[in-house]
Amino acid sequence: MSKAKNLVAPPPVVIDDTNLSRAWARLLLQILGGAGTEIAPLVLSLSGFDQNGAPAEDPAVRQALDRLLKRKSRLVVDDVAFTIFPQRLWEMSRGDRARLFALYRATFPRWQAMNRKANGRGLYFERMVMYGRGPCDGNQLEWILSQFNSRTGVRRSMLQATTFDPARDHVASAQLGFPCLQQVSFEPTAAGLVVNAFYATQQIFDKAYGNYLGLAQLGAFMAHEMGMSLARLNVVVGIAKLERITKSDADFAPLVAASQALVAPPPAQVARPPIAAATVGARH
C-alpha cells in the first residue's frame, strides 16, 4: 500500500445571494483575492426575483463590467444573456410563446451569421428549441411546457432540457467554446419554480454574469408559462475560471471598486446618547 499522503478535493465554494450583481461580485473578489485563477466546484444560488422574475442588480457593478467588456472587445452582458434566452424577442412576442419560437427560428440564421466564429456551433437557446431531433420538432421547452400544462402529476425528471449533444460535441478539438452549459432542469415547488443549471466550465470575467442573467430570464419565461413565480436559480459549475484577463490588469480597478462597495457590509450604526427628559417646571 502506498504511503503517499491522500489528497482531498477542495469543498465547493457556495455563493447564496438575493442580488445577481452582488453574487457575481463575490465570485470575482474571491478569485482575485485567492491563489490561482480557478474555483472548482462552484455552486451559485440566486433568489430575490421580482414579480416578473427579474433579478435584483446593482447598476454600478453592471455598468463597470459592461465598460470593461467593451474595452476588451468582449460581448456585453445582455449579448451573453441573449445566447441563453432572447429576452428582446420575448418582449416583442407579448406573452405569446408560439410567436417567440417562430421569431427565433426565423432570425437565428442572422444571429449565427453575425459572429460565425463564436456561434458556428450554435447557441444555447437554439439547442433548447431547435435541437434537431425529439418531440415537438426538437423544441425541448415546448415539450416540457405542453406536458406540464396538459395534466397534473407530470414526471419531474421530464422537466429538463439539454444543450450538449454527444453526436456533435464529442470532438477531439483542443479548444471548444461551445457548449459549456450542459443542461437545465425546472423544478416546480410550493414556493415557485426552481431552475437548476450545470456547467462543465465557466468563464468568470466575460461570460458568468451574462450566463446568470440569461438563465434567470429563461427561468422567468418558463415560470410564466407554467403559471407560477420564479423562486430560485441554482448554477453548478465544475470549473469556474478567470481567463482572457489577468488579475493584475489595471483596467480592473473601477470594476473591483464597484464590487467591493457592493459587497462591503453596511457601516455600523453609532449609538446616540439618549436625550434627557425635560425637567418638570424647567425655566426657558
Side-chain angles (χ1 to χ4, degrees):
M1 187 174 185
S2 172
K3 294 183 179 180
K5 185 177 180 180
N6 291 330
L7 298 178
V8 178
V13 171
V14 179
I15 296 175
D16 184 6
D17 215 307
T18 57
N19 183 291
L20 191 160
S21 302
R22 187 169 56 227
W24 180 84
R26 289 169 60 187
L27 171 61
L28 176 68
L29 294 176
Q30 178 151 342
I31 198 75
L32 292 179
T37 57
E38 294 183 351
I39 290 177
L42 166 70
V43 178
L44 187 142
S45 188
L46 186 65
S47 57
F49 303 97
D50 70 14
Q51 62 182 3
N52 296 316
E57 293 187 76
D58 177 75
V61 169
R62 173 72 180 272
Q63 292 166 13
L65 175 57
D66 273 338
R67 284 193 294 267
L68 183 54
L69 289 168
K70 290 179 181 178
R71 187 178 183 89
K72 300 300 182 183
S73 300
R74 303 294 178 189
L75 295 178
V76 296
V77 168
D78 273 337
D79 289 343
V80 174
F82 187 89
T83 65
I84 296 175
F85 186 74
Q87 182 69 22
R88 297 190 295 276
L89 297 186
W90 176 232
E91 292 169 359
M92 290 170 57
S93 300
R94 298 185 178 182
D96 183 343
R97 76 169 185 261
R99 178 169 169 76
L100 167 66
F101 296 145
L103 277 173
Y104 191 82
R105 285 192 297 270
T107 56
F108 171 71
R110 183 179 13 160
W111 308 122
Q112 191 173 44
M114 288 172 63
N115 192 341
R116 179 65 62 173
K117 182 178 179 181
N119 302 335
R121 297 180 55 79
L123 295 173
Y124 292 115
F125 193 73
E126 176 253 344
R127 288 279 180 102
M128 284 186 267
V129 301
M130 300 163 60
Y131 193 74
R133 59 189 186 277
C136 295
D137 293 325
N139 188 334
Q140 300 177 79
L141 300 185
E142 179 58 34
W143 167 254
I144 290 169
L145 293 171
S146 63
Q147 292 300 303
F148 178 82
N149 291 325
S150 66
R151 62 191 187 279
T152 59
V154 171
R155 171 172 48 88
R156 289 184 294 177
S157 61
M158 181 188 299
L159 309 179
Q160 59 179 312
T162 185
T163 59
F164 185 85
D165 181 2
R168 288 178 279 183
D169 302 323
H170 272 161
V171 296
S173 303
Q175 294 287 334
L176 199 65
F178 175 92
C180 294
L181 171 64
Q182 307 295 293
Q183 69 182 101
V184 184
S185 70
F186 307 95
E187 176 64 21
T189 72
L193 184 66
V194 175
V195 179
N196 305 292
F198 175 76
Y199 281 81
T201 63
Q202 187 176 68
Q203 304 289 339
I204 295 173
F205 165 58
D206 53 349
K207 295 292 180 64
Y209 196 117
N211 291 162
Y212 305 148
L213 179 59
L215 288 167
Q217 292 170 341
L218 172 64
F221 162 72
M222 293 296 285
H224 177 272
E225 294 303 289
M226 296 167 83
M228 61 186 70
S229 60
L230 177 60
R232 184 171 289 273
L233 167 64
N234 299 311
V235 185
V236 179
V237 182
I239 304 172
K241 49 190 178 180
L242 185 70
E243 292 186 333
R244 304 189 182 100
I245 191 169
T246 64
K247 290 183 176 183
S248 59
D249 193 316
D251 292 336
F252 249 139
L255 177 56
V256 170
S259 297
Q260 290 174 333
L262 178 60
V263 171
Q269 295 292 325
V270 178
R272 295 183 178 181
I275 300 175
T279 303
V280 177
R283 297 180 180 180
H284 297 281

